[in-house]
Amino acid sequence: MIVTILIALLWVVVAILVVYTVRHYVFTFSRLFGRHRQPYVDITVAEWPPVTVFIPCHNEQQVITGSIEALLAADYPRDRLTIIPIDDRSTDATGAILRDYAARYPALIKPVWRTGGMPGKAAALAEASARVGSEVHLVFDADYIPGPKLLKQLVAPFFDPEVGAVMGRVVPQNVSRSLLTRLLDLERAGGYQVDQQARMNMGLVPQYGGTVGGVRREALSSVGGWRTDTLAEDTDMTFRLLLRGWEVVYQNRSECYEEVPENWPTRIRQIRRWTHGHNQALTRYVNKLLAHPGHLSWLQVLDGTLLLGVFAVGPILLLGWMLALVLYYLGYQPSSSIFMVLIVSAFSTLGNFAAFFEVATATRLDGSRNRVRLLPFLFFGFLVSLMAVSQETIKQFVGGGLGWRSAKRWDKTERYRQPQSGGAGTGAATHADGGEA
Amino acid sequence: MSVTPFLLLLAATAAWVLLPLIPALRELLRPTDAEPLNAVGHDAGDLTVFADGFRDYLARHLPADAIAAGAATREGGSTAVAASTRVGTLGDGSPYVQLTGDGASLRDVAHADGSVPRIVIADGPLTLRGGETFLLEFLARGPMHGGRDAVYRALLGEGDVSLGEGSEVLRWVHAAGDLSLGAGSIVHGRASALGRMLLAPNVTFSRIRAARIATVAPATDAPAADGTTDGTVGGSLEDPPILPPVISGTAKLPAGATRERGYTRIAGDYTLPAGGTVSGALVVSGALVVGDGARIGGSVKVHGDCVIGDDVVVDGTVVCRRGATLGQRCHVRGSLAVERDVAIGAGSWIGGPTTPASVAADTVLLRQGVQVFGAISARHGGRVG
């Protein structure tokens, strides 16, 4: 009886992994041979709408100058651009740097100072965006360095009245720092160049990633604004917009540099945070999605469901391995085909965001030369991610930790860039509370 | 029993396992491709990037005496300076020819087949006979009038530029004034003008940008000074009419249509009857047909094909997932983003003098009298029909 149940369970696991494997292959073939959709990137001349750029900050003295300087160099019409750094209780020199910029560009840079309320990026965005009336809200993390054309590129999709959010491509800048950064560079390439663009090509569900992108104020308002009780406000926003009838679009040509984690503990914390937030979205929206709202196609429902479950694949894969072992020692002799399927599927679903062949495809599309040679090492990176994701998922679902983390703190990735000159106040006396009314 | 065979076997197995990892280990230990992806901040959408680069290039490499000669020509005026040709090499070794008079002196440096193997710098007004092939870049500091069937690798005009019938530009052309392309001309790369861009029939293009792009009738073939004809004409161009905003819609919406916050969403196909009005933005999940004289008071998104009749006004952008056809005298006040092919009817306007706009599609067909106030990007080619 137990063996029968375990066998059935193994088949279920294999079936799920096969579905994800097929998904990865479909995306890859779409990018290699399918029609490439970038319908808005050629809107280069337009009557540009008023835009507000939000930069949530918490102890960002190392990087905030670079980000603001890059935004100041943007070719967006100055009279239609507002930059709002949101200083959320920084204890370093971030506040002093922002004050200096605000004094020098009073019409352009208008910081928001948070001294109370719930901490975190989502809460910061919720508070600041409620005060702003411009039509388009763009969001950048403090370590991001947008190119001069990026703002126009990200705003262009909003001329489509159906677009609720837009997402650009994130490109690691500190690639050469360690093996981990090089592996993350590969993983990001696969995730954006293949996964996200394939979803865009196929009219599925590109994911708004919370940075290098933006939201239409009207859409934001229609779904009730930013949720503060989630660790993945971006994924949460993606699905609320989707369910409400808004489109999320991805622009592969809208690239922006970021810093990726340079050490494994930081990486593990980052991926556990993503897992937690993503699984929150899974439990909140999977049923609503499977109810198949009339404005969504079945393919969008399927893709959205698989996207919601992407962080559950790791634990499912682990379960499959354990089941195979247990069944073997219980004397079960399965057909070789199921093990073959399990092996192939395990290989193809090991990466959370991009399988090995997707990464290879991305490097080819990017015209990269030798970085693909590091592909074998990606196996170890994926294993670490698998363990981190599984640990967090099991803790959430078994330990009942699906709600908001109780700790009142900022969850963010460590910064590595050296403080830059250019912004007066950088490296100046420590800003104690970051607070102004 | 000796352990040597076992160790040898172990070592051989380890070597065999590690063999495929050698490229990975080499790349890890001696990185050759560890720079950030060179993809951020490129010239995306900036059509004048090559023209600006050429200006910088000449500023760095043009000899001082050539600069002085050019300045003297411009200060002296075209009539005060006798025609002459000055040849030399730029700082990087590229050959150039500097013209201080008309184009006839180009014969001195042209090959027998009419090709000119030098960068050409024309310091005064210039009229060319036609039939030349300029193998390197061309700078016209004054007004330039090209002859028929000339081939340009790249052309920068600091004033007005007019290219004759059947001209071909291989890489880019930019005019600081007006740019006029004669009938049947082909622009393979980018074309841009700070002033107007006038396109005669059967001009083909891919990416063009100007304050006002207009398709115009063929020239009256009035002969130029050298007896050639330029094939283009640019008379006065009419601005689009200014209409009061749409307050409320008059068209009956189909069952199942939803209206929320100024957005009308319609599932399936929809036909907006002639003379009908829709206020706010319109999203149609199927095909859209707009009758003659109708008006949409916001942007339009169509998932299927979009057919717009004559004299239709759209007070926003038109986005279409498939193909689109616009009738005559339509006015789209925003941009036109079409994922397949678009045909714009005679006398239509895209954008306006104070509201610049873009047209983007796989292929773009412009009928006579079309005006686009901004840019056109035809991914697979555009043509004036």
Short mmCIF file of all heavy atoms in Angstrom, two decimals, chain A residues 35 37 42 44-47 153 160-162 169 173 176 182 216 218 221 244-245 247 255 257 369-371 373 376, chain B residues 21 24 27 31-33 35-37 39-40 44 209 260-261 263 265 301 303 321 339 354 356-358 362 377 379:
data_model
loop_
_atom_site.label_atom_id
_atom_site.label_comp_id
_atom_site.label_asym_id
_atom_site.label_seq_id
_atom_site.Cartn_x
_atom_site.Cartn_y
_atom_site.Cartn_z
N ARG A 35 9.29 34.41 -33.41
CA ARG A 35 9.20 35.83 -33.73
C ARG A 35 9.58 36.65 -32.51
O ARG A 35 9.08 36.41 -31.41
CB ARG A 35 7.76 36.14 -34.14
CG ARG A 35 7.49 37.57 -34.51
CD ARG A 35 6.01 37.75 -34.85
NE ARG A 35 5.64 39.15 -34.93
CZ ARG A 35 5.85 39.92 -35.98
NH1 ARG A 35 6.43 39.41 -37.04
NH2 ARG A 35 5.50 41.19 -35.98
N ARG A 37 9.41 39.81 -30.37
CA ARG A 37 8.49 40.94 -30.19
C ARG A 37 9.11 42.03 -29.32
O ARG A 37 9.45 41.77 -28.17
CB ARG A 37 7.20 40.47 -29.51
CG ARG A 37 6.22 39.76 -30.41
CD ARG A 37 4.93 39.51 -29.65
NE ARG A 37 4.23 40.73 -29.36
CZ ARG A 37 3.69 41.05 -28.17
NH1 ARG A 37 3.78 40.21 -27.17
NH2 ARG A 37 3.05 42.19 -28.00
N ASP A 42 10.70 50.97 -30.57
CA ASP A 42 10.93 51.94 -31.65
C ASP A 42 10.11 53.21 -31.48
O ASP A 42 10.12 54.07 -32.36
CB ASP A 42 10.64 51.30 -33.01
CG ASP A 42 11.72 50.31 -33.39
OD1 ASP A 42 12.90 50.60 -33.12
OD2 ASP A 42 11.40 49.25 -33.94
N THR A 44 10.49 56.21 -30.26
CA THR A 44 11.63 57.00 -29.77
C THR A 44 11.32 58.49 -29.72
O THR A 44 12.05 59.25 -29.09
CB THR A 44 12.85 56.78 -30.66
OG1 THR A 44 12.47 57.07 -32.01
CG2 THR A 44 13.35 55.35 -30.58
N VAL A 45 10.29 58.88 -30.43
CA VAL A 45 9.87 60.28 -30.44
C VAL A 45 8.41 60.31 -30.01
O VAL A 45 7.60 59.58 -30.57
CB VAL A 45 10.02 60.89 -31.85
CG1 VAL A 45 9.57 62.34 -31.84
CG2 VAL A 45 11.44 60.77 -32.34
N ALA A 46 8.10 61.10 -29.03
CA ALA A 46 6.72 61.13 -28.53
C ALA A 46 6.51 62.34 -27.64
O ALA A 46 7.46 63.03 -27.26
CB ALA A 46 6.40 59.84 -27.77
N GLU A 47 5.28 62.56 -27.31
CA GLU A 47 4.92 63.55 -26.31
C GLU A 47 5.02 62.83 -24.97
O GLU A 47 4.08 62.16 -24.54
CB GLU A 47 3.49 64.04 -26.57
CG GLU A 47 2.99 65.11 -25.65
CD GLU A 47 3.56 66.48 -25.97
OE1 GLU A 47 4.42 66.59 -26.83
OE2 GLU A 47 3.13 67.44 -25.32
N GLN A 153 12.71 54.56 -22.94
CA GLN A 153 12.40 53.19 -23.35
C GLN A 153 11.39 52.54 -22.41
O GLN A 153 10.51 51.81 -22.84
CB GLN A 153 13.68 52.34 -23.37
CG GLN A 153 14.57 52.61 -24.55
CD GLN A 153 15.74 51.63 -24.59
OE1 GLN A 153 16.03 50.96 -23.61
NE2 GLN A 153 16.40 51.57 -25.72
N ASP A 160 0.65 52.27 -24.78
CA ASP A 160 -0.35 51.21 -24.96
C ASP A 160 -1.30 51.27 -23.77
O ASP A 160 -0.89 51.06 -22.63
CB ASP A 160 0.37 49.85 -25.02
CG ASP A 160 -0.59 48.68 -25.20
OD1 ASP A 160 -1.79 48.85 -24.93
OD2 ASP A 160 -0.13 47.61 -25.60
N PRO A 161 -2.57 51.56 -24.01
CA PRO A 161 -3.47 51.76 -22.87
C PRO A 161 -3.71 50.52 -22.04
O PRO A 161 -4.26 50.61 -20.94
CB PRO A 161 -4.78 52.22 -23.54
CG PRO A 161 -4.70 51.72 -24.94
CD PRO A 161 -3.25 51.72 -25.31
N GLU A 162 -3.31 49.35 -22.56
CA GLU A 162 -3.55 48.12 -21.82
C GLU A 162 -2.38 47.75 -20.90
O GLU A 162 -2.50 46.87 -20.04
CB GLU A 162 -3.80 46.97 -22.81
CG GLU A 162 -4.51 45.78 -22.21
CD GLU A 162 -4.82 44.72 -23.26
OE1 GLU A 162 -4.18 44.74 -24.33
OE2 GLU A 162 -5.68 43.88 -23.00
N ARG A 169 15.63 44.86 -18.69
CA ARG A 169 16.57 43.77 -18.45
C ARG A 169 17.65 44.21 -17.47
O ARG A 169 18.22 45.30 -17.61
CB ARG A 169 17.22 43.34 -19.76
CG ARG A 169 18.24 42.23 -19.56
CD ARG A 169 18.87 41.76 -20.85
NE ARG A 169 19.88 40.76 -20.55
CZ ARG A 169 20.64 40.18 -21.45
NH1 ARG A 169 20.50 40.47 -22.72
NH2 ARG A 169 21.54 39.28 -21.09
N GLN A 173 26.87 44.17 -13.24
CA GLN A 173 28.02 45.01 -13.54
C GLN A 173 29.31 44.46 -12.92
O GLN A 173 30.37 44.58 -13.51
CB GLN A 173 27.78 46.43 -13.02
CG GLN A 173 28.83 47.41 -13.50
CD GLN A 173 28.71 48.75 -12.80
OE1 GLN A 173 28.37 48.83 -11.63
NE2 GLN A 173 28.97 49.81 -13.52
N SER A 176 33.13 40.35 -12.83
CA SER A 176 34.45 39.74 -12.70
C SER A 176 34.87 39.50 -11.26
O SER A 176 35.98 39.02 -11.02
CB SER A 176 35.49 40.63 -13.39
OG SER A 176 35.51 41.90 -12.76
N ARG A 182 30.05 35.59 -11.67
CA ARG A 182 30.06 35.13 -13.06
C ARG A 182 28.91 34.15 -13.32
O ARG A 182 28.30 34.15 -14.37
CB ARG A 182 31.41 34.50 -13.41
CG ARG A 182 32.56 35.48 -13.24
CD ARG A 182 33.80 35.04 -13.96
NE ARG A 182 33.59 35.02 -15.40
CZ ARG A 182 34.50 34.59 -16.27
NH1 ARG A 182 35.66 34.14 -15.83
NH2 ARG A 182 34.25 34.60 -17.56
N ARG A 216 1.94 51.90 -14.29
CA ARG A 216 1.04 52.99 -14.60
C ARG A 216 0.26 53.35 -13.34
O ARG A 216 -0.26 52.46 -12.65
CB ARG A 216 0.08 52.57 -15.72
CG ARG A 216 -0.81 53.69 -16.23
CD ARG A 216 -1.94 53.11 -17.07
NE ARG A 216 -1.45 52.42 -18.25
CZ ARG A 216 -1.19 53.01 -19.42
NH1 ARG A 216 -1.40 54.29 -19.55
NH2 ARG A 216 -0.77 52.30 -20.45
N GLU A 218 -2.60 54.63 -12.96
CA GLU A 218 -3.99 54.20 -13.06
C GLU A 218 -4.11 52.70 -12.72
O GLU A 218 -5.04 52.28 -12.00
CB GLU A 218 -4.49 54.44 -14.49
CG GLU A 218 -5.97 54.37 -14.67
CD GLU A 218 -6.68 55.49 -13.95
OE1 GLU A 218 -6.26 56.64 -14.05
OE2 GLU A 218 -7.66 55.17 -13.24
N SER A 221 -3.46 52.18 -9.02
CA SER A 221 -4.63 52.57 -8.25
C SER A 221 -5.75 51.53 -8.36
O SER A 221 -6.43 51.22 -7.38
CB SER A 221 -5.10 53.94 -8.75
OG SER A 221 -6.36 54.24 -8.26
N ARG A 244 -6.46 41.72 -12.99
CA ARG A 244 -7.31 42.89 -13.16
C ARG A 244 -7.43 43.29 -14.63
O ARG A 244 -8.12 44.26 -14.96
CB ARG A 244 -6.71 44.05 -12.34
CG ARG A 244 -7.59 45.25 -12.17
CD ARG A 244 -8.73 45.01 -11.23
NE ARG A 244 -9.59 46.18 -11.21
CZ ARG A 244 -10.70 46.29 -10.50
NH1 ARG A 244 -11.08 45.27 -9.76
NH2 ARG A 244 -11.42 47.37 -10.54
N GLY A 245 -6.72 42.59 -15.50
CA GLY A 245 -6.85 42.87 -16.93
C GLY A 245 -5.76 43.74 -17.53
O GLY A 245 -5.84 44.13 -18.69
N GLU A 247 -1.79 44.42 -18.79
CA GLU A 247 -0.69 43.65 -19.36
C GLU A 247 0.62 44.05 -18.69
O GLU A 247 0.83 45.21 -18.37
CB GLU A 247 -0.56 43.96 -20.85
CG GLU A 247 -1.00 42.83 -21.76
CD GLU A 247 -0.74 43.17 -23.23
OE1 GLU A 247 0.31 43.74 -23.54
OE2 GLU A 247 -1.62 42.85 -24.04
N GLU A 255 18.18 47.84 -21.05
CA GLU A 255 19.10 47.21 -20.10
C GLU A 255 19.58 48.20 -19.04
O GLU A 255 19.70 49.39 -19.31
CB GLU A 255 20.32 46.64 -20.83
CG GLU A 255 20.01 45.55 -21.83
CD GLU A 255 20.16 46.03 -23.26
OE1 GLU A 255 20.16 47.26 -23.49
OE2 GLU A 255 20.26 45.18 -24.15
N TYR A 257 22.43 48.27 -15.56
CA TYR A 257 23.41 47.56 -14.74
C TYR A 257 22.96 47.47 -13.28
O TYR A 257 22.32 48.38 -12.76
CB TYR A 257 24.76 48.27 -14.79
CG TYR A 257 25.52 48.08 -16.08
CD1 TYR A 257 26.00 49.18 -16.78
CD2 TYR A 257 25.77 46.81 -16.57
CE1 TYR A 257 26.71 49.01 -17.96
CE2 TYR A 257 26.47 46.64 -17.76
CZ TYR A 257 26.94 47.74 -18.45
OH TYR A 257 27.63 47.57 -19.61
N ARG A 369 31.30 35.50 -25.78
CA ARG A 369 32.21 34.53 -26.40
C ARG A 369 32.52 33.37 -25.46
O ARG A 369 32.06 32.26 -25.67
CB ARG A 369 33.51 35.23 -26.81
CG ARG A 369 33.32 36.25 -27.90
CD ARG A 369 34.54 37.09 -28.11
NE ARG A 369 34.79 37.98 -26.96
CZ ARG A 369 35.80 37.85 -26.13
NH1 ARG A 369 36.69 36.91 -26.33
NH2 ARG A 369 35.94 38.68 -25.12
N ASN A 370 33.26 33.63 -24.43
CA ASN A 370 33.80 32.52 -23.65
C ASN A 370 33.12 32.28 -22.31
O ASN A 370 33.46 31.33 -21.61
CB ASN A 370 35.30 32.76 -23.39
CG ASN A 370 36.08 32.80 -24.70
OD1 ASN A 370 35.67 32.19 -25.69
ND2 ASN A 370 37.17 33.53 -24.71
N ARG A 371 32.21 33.15 -21.91
CA ARG A 371 31.62 32.97 -20.58
C ARG A 371 30.79 31.70 -20.48
O ARG A 371 30.61 31.17 -19.40
CB ARG A 371 30.84 34.20 -20.17
CG ARG A 371 29.62 34.54 -20.97
CD ARG A 371 29.08 35.89 -20.53
NE ARG A 371 30.01 36.96 -20.87
CZ ARG A 371 29.92 38.21 -20.41
NH1 ARG A 371 28.93 38.54 -19.61
NH2 ARG A 371 30.78 39.12 -20.75
N ARG A 373 31.66 28.91 -21.21
CA ARG A 373 32.51 27.80 -20.76
C ARG A 373 32.34 27.50 -19.28
O ARG A 373 32.68 26.42 -18.81
CB ARG A 373 33.98 28.12 -21.03
CG ARG A 373 34.33 28.17 -22.50
CD ARG A 373 35.77 28.59 -22.69
NE ARG A 373 36.12 28.66 -24.10
CZ ARG A 373 37.28 29.14 -24.55
NH1 ARG A 373 38.17 29.59 -23.69
NH2 ARG A 373 37.53 29.16 -25.83
N PRO A 376 29.52 24.38 -16.68
CA PRO A 376 29.55 23.26 -15.73
C PRO A 376 29.48 23.72 -14.27
O PRO A 376 28.88 23.04 -13.44
CB PRO A 376 30.87 22.56 -16.03
CG PRO A 376 31.18 22.92 -17.43
CD PRO A 376 30.64 24.31 -17.62
N LEU B 21 35.91 19.54 -18.15
CA LEU B 21 35.90 20.76 -17.35
C LEU B 21 37.09 21.67 -17.63
O LEU B 21 37.19 22.76 -17.08
CB LEU B 21 35.89 20.41 -15.86
CG LEU B 21 34.62 19.72 -15.33
CD1 LEU B 21 34.78 19.39 -13.87
CD2 LEU B 21 33.40 20.61 -15.54
N ALA B 24 36.22 25.10 -18.71
CA ALA B 24 35.62 25.85 -17.60
C ALA B 24 36.70 26.30 -16.62
O ALA B 24 36.72 27.44 -16.17
CB ALA B 24 34.58 25.00 -16.90
N GLU B 27 38.73 29.14 -18.09
CA GLU B 27 38.02 30.42 -18.07
C GLU B 27 37.92 30.97 -16.66
O GLU B 27 37.92 32.17 -16.44
CB GLU B 27 36.62 30.24 -18.67
CG GLU B 27 35.76 31.49 -18.72
CD GLU B 27 36.39 32.64 -19.53
OE1 GLU B 27 37.20 32.36 -20.43
OE2 GLU B 27 36.06 33.81 -19.22
N PRO B 31 40.36 34.45 -16.78
CA PRO B 31 39.14 34.95 -17.42
C PRO B 31 39.42 35.69 -18.73
O PRO B 31 40.33 36.51 -18.80
CB PRO B 31 38.55 35.91 -16.39
CG PRO B 31 39.20 35.56 -15.10
CD PRO B 31 40.56 35.03 -15.45
N THR B 32 38.66 35.36 -19.73
CA THR B 32 38.78 36.06 -21.02
C THR B 32 37.49 36.77 -21.40
O THR B 32 37.46 37.53 -22.34
CB THR B 32 39.14 35.07 -22.15
OG1 THR B 32 38.11 34.08 -22.22
CG2 THR B 32 40.47 34.41 -21.89
N ASP B 33 36.42 36.48 -20.66
CA ASP B 33 35.12 37.06 -21.02
C ASP B 33 34.36 37.36 -19.73
O ASP B 33 33.26 36.84 -19.51
CB ASP B 33 34.36 36.05 -21.90
CG ASP B 33 33.10 36.65 -22.50
OD1 ASP B 33 32.97 37.89 -22.48
OD2 ASP B 33 32.25 35.88 -22.98
N GLU B 35 33.84 40.64 -18.57
CA GLU B 35 33.39 42.04 -18.51
C GLU B 35 31.86 42.07 -18.50
O GLU B 35 31.21 41.16 -19.02
CB GLU B 35 33.91 42.81 -19.73
CG GLU B 35 35.41 43.00 -19.72
CD GLU B 35 35.89 43.72 -18.47
OE1 GLU B 35 35.32 44.77 -18.15
OE2 GLU B 35 36.81 43.23 -17.81
N PRO B 36 31.28 43.13 -17.93
CA PRO B 36 29.82 43.25 -18.01
C PRO B 36 29.37 43.27 -19.46
O PRO B 36 30.08 43.77 -20.33
CB PRO B 36 29.54 44.60 -17.33
CG PRO B 36 30.74 44.90 -16.52
CD PRO B 36 31.89 44.25 -17.20
N LEU B 37 28.23 42.70 -19.69
CA LEU B 37 27.67 42.68 -21.03
C LEU B 37 27.62 44.10 -21.58
O LEU B 37 27.08 45.00 -20.95
CB LEU B 37 26.26 42.09 -20.98
CG LEU B 37 25.65 41.65 -22.29
CD1 LEU B 37 26.45 40.51 -22.89
CD2 LEU B 37 24.22 41.21 -22.06
N ALA B 39 25.97 46.19 -23.22
CA ALA B 39 24.64 46.37 -23.80
C ALA B 39 23.94 47.60 -23.27
O ALA B 39 22.87 47.94 -23.76
CB ALA B 39 23.78 45.15 -23.50
N VAL B 40 24.51 48.25 -22.31
CA VAL B 40 23.79 49.33 -21.64
C VAL B 40 24.22 50.68 -22.19
O VAL B 40 25.40 50.95 -22.36
CB VAL B 40 24.04 49.28 -20.12
CG1 VAL B 40 23.37 50.45 -19.42
CG2 VAL B 40 23.52 47.97 -19.57
N ALA B 44 20.45 53.50 -28.58
CA ALA B 44 19.07 53.11 -28.82
C ALA B 44 18.19 54.29 -29.24
O ALA B 44 17.95 55.20 -28.47
CB ALA B 44 18.50 52.47 -27.57
N ARG B 209 13.91 60.02 -39.32
CA ARG B 209 13.46 60.90 -38.24
C ARG B 209 13.64 62.36 -38.67
O ARG B 209 14.69 62.72 -39.22
CB ARG B 209 14.27 60.63 -36.98
CG ARG B 209 13.92 61.54 -35.82
CD ARG B 209 14.64 61.08 -34.59
NE ARG B 209 14.44 61.99 -33.48
CZ ARG B 209 14.83 61.75 -32.23
NH1 ARG B 209 15.45 60.62 -31.94
NH2 ARG B 209 14.61 62.62 -31.28
N GLU B 260 -14.28 51.56 -17.26
CA GLU B 260 -13.76 51.83 -15.92
C GLU B 260 -12.65 52.85 -16.03
O GLU B 260 -11.72 52.68 -16.84
CB GLU B 260 -13.22 50.54 -15.29
CG GLU B 260 -12.78 50.72 -13.87
CD GLU B 260 -12.11 49.46 -13.32
OE1 GLU B 260 -11.90 48.52 -14.09
OE2 GLU B 260 -11.78 49.46 -12.15
N ARG B 261 -12.75 53.90 -15.23
CA ARG B 261 -11.68 54.90 -15.16
C ARG B 261 -11.25 55.41 -16.53
O ARG B 261 -10.07 55.57 -16.80
CB ARG B 261 -10.46 54.33 -14.45
CG ARG B 261 -10.70 53.88 -13.03
CD ARG B 261 -9.54 53.01 -12.57
NE ARG B 261 -9.81 52.37 -11.29
CZ ARG B 261 -9.38 52.84 -10.14
NH1 ARG B 261 -8.66 53.93 -10.10
NH2 ARG B 261 -9.66 52.21 -9.02
N TYR B 263 -11.40 53.85 -19.36
CA TYR B 263 -11.00 52.79 -20.28
C TYR B 263 -12.23 52.00 -20.71
O TYR B 263 -13.04 51.61 -19.87
CB TYR B 263 -10.04 51.81 -19.60
CG TYR B 263 -8.65 52.34 -19.41
CD1 TYR B 263 -8.36 53.25 -18.40
CD2 TYR B 263 -7.61 51.94 -20.25
CE1 TYR B 263 -7.08 53.75 -18.22
CE2 TYR B 263 -6.33 52.43 -20.07
CZ TYR B 263 -6.07 53.33 -19.06
OH TYR B 263 -4.81 53.83 -18.89
N ARG B 265 -13.15 48.49 -22.47
CA ARG B 265 -12.57 47.20 -22.90
C ARG B 265 -13.66 46.38 -23.57
O ARG B 265 -14.74 46.19 -23.01
CB ARG B 265 -12.02 46.43 -21.70
CG ARG B 265 -10.86 47.15 -21.02
CD ARG B 265 -10.48 46.43 -19.72
NE ARG B 265 -9.58 47.23 -18.92
CZ ARG B 265 -8.25 47.17 -18.99
NH1 ARG B 265 -7.69 46.32 -19.82
NH2 ARG B 265 -7.49 47.93 -18.24
N LYS B 301 -5.94 50.21 -28.31
CA LYS B 301 -5.15 48.97 -28.36
C LYS B 301 -6.02 47.91 -29.03
O LYS B 301 -7.14 47.67 -28.59
CB LYS B 301 -4.78 48.53 -26.95
CG LYS B 301 -4.23 47.10 -26.84
CD LYS B 301 -2.84 46.98 -27.43
CE LYS B 301 -2.22 45.61 -27.16
NZ LYS B 301 -1.82 45.40 -25.78
N HIS B 303 -5.96 43.89 -30.47
CA HIS B 303 -5.22 42.63 -30.50
C HIS B 303 -5.24 41.98 -31.88
O HIS B 303 -4.37 41.20 -32.22
CB HIS B 303 -5.78 41.67 -29.45
CG HIS B 303 -5.38 42.03 -28.06
ND1 HIS B 303 -4.42 41.34 -27.36
CD2 HIS B 303 -5.77 43.02 -27.25
CE1 HIS B 303 -4.24 41.89 -26.17
NE2 HIS B 303 -5.06 42.92 -26.08
N ARG B 321 -1.61 44.68 -32.39
CA ARG B 321 -0.81 43.46 -32.34
C ARG B 321 -0.65 42.82 -33.71
O ARG B 321 0.20 41.96 -33.91
CB ARG B 321 -1.47 42.46 -31.38
CG ARG B 321 -1.42 42.83 -29.92
CD ARG B 321 -0.06 42.55 -29.32
NE ARG B 321 0.23 41.13 -29.29
CZ ARG B 321 -0.02 40.33 -28.27
NH1 ARG B 321 -0.57 40.83 -27.19
NH2 ARG B 321 0.29 39.07 -28.30
N GLU B 339 2.53 45.81 -34.87
CA GLU B 339 3.50 44.71 -34.84
C GLU B 339 3.70 44.05 -36.20
O GLU B 339 4.67 43.33 -36.39
CB GLU B 339 3.08 43.68 -33.79
CG GLU B 339 3.13 44.24 -32.40
CD GLU B 339 3.18 43.18 -31.32
OE1 GLU B 339 3.69 42.08 -31.59
OE2 GLU B 339 2.67 43.45 -30.22
N THR B 354 3.33 70.26 -32.52
CA THR B 354 3.73 70.39 -31.11
C THR B 354 3.60 69.08 -30.35
O THR B 354 3.83 69.05 -29.14
CB THR B 354 2.88 71.46 -30.41
OG1 THR B 354 1.50 71.08 -30.52
CG2 THR B 354 3.09 72.82 -31.05
N PRO B 356 5.10 65.55 -31.03
CA PRO B 356 5.86 64.59 -31.83
C PRO B 356 5.42 63.16 -31.59
O PRO B 356 4.88 62.84 -30.53
CB PRO B 356 7.31 64.81 -31.36
CG PRO B 356 7.18 65.45 -30.02
CD PRO B 356 5.93 66.24 -30.05
N ALA B 357 5.65 62.32 -32.58
CA ALA B 357 5.16 60.94 -32.48
C ALA B 357 6.05 60.02 -33.31
O ALA B 357 6.88 60.46 -34.10
CB ALA B 357 3.72 60.87 -32.98
N SER B 358 5.85 58.73 -33.12
CA SER B 358 6.61 57.72 -33.85
C SER B 358 5.66 56.78 -34.57
O SER B 358 4.54 56.55 -34.13
CB SER B 358 7.47 56.89 -32.89
OG SER B 358 8.39 57.68 -32.20
N ASP B 362 6.53 46.45 -38.80
CA ASP B 362 7.41 45.62 -39.62
C ASP B 362 7.64 46.29 -40.97
O ASP B 362 8.76 46.48 -41.41
CB ASP B 362 6.78 44.24 -39.83
CG ASP B 362 7.12 43.29 -38.69
OD1 ASP B 362 7.90 43.69 -37.81
OD2 ASP B 362 6.60 42.17 -38.67
N SER B 377 10.00 53.91 -37.94
CA SER B 377 10.89 52.75 -37.89
C SER B 377 10.18 51.59 -38.57
O SER B 377 9.17 51.09 -38.08
CB SER B 377 11.21 52.40 -36.43
OG SER B 377 11.96 51.21 -36.37
N ARG B 379 10.87 47.97 -39.50
CA ARG B 379 11.86 46.93 -39.21
C ARG B 379 12.24 46.12 -40.46
O ARG B 379 13.37 45.70 -40.62
CB ARG B 379 11.32 46.02 -38.11
CG ARG B 379 11.22 46.70 -36.76
CD ARG B 379 10.65 45.77 -35.69
NE ARG B 379 9.23 45.60 -35.79
CZ ARG B 379 8.32 46.36 -35.17
NH1 ARG B 379 8.72 47.36 -34.41
NH2 ARG B 379 7.04 46.13 -35.33
#
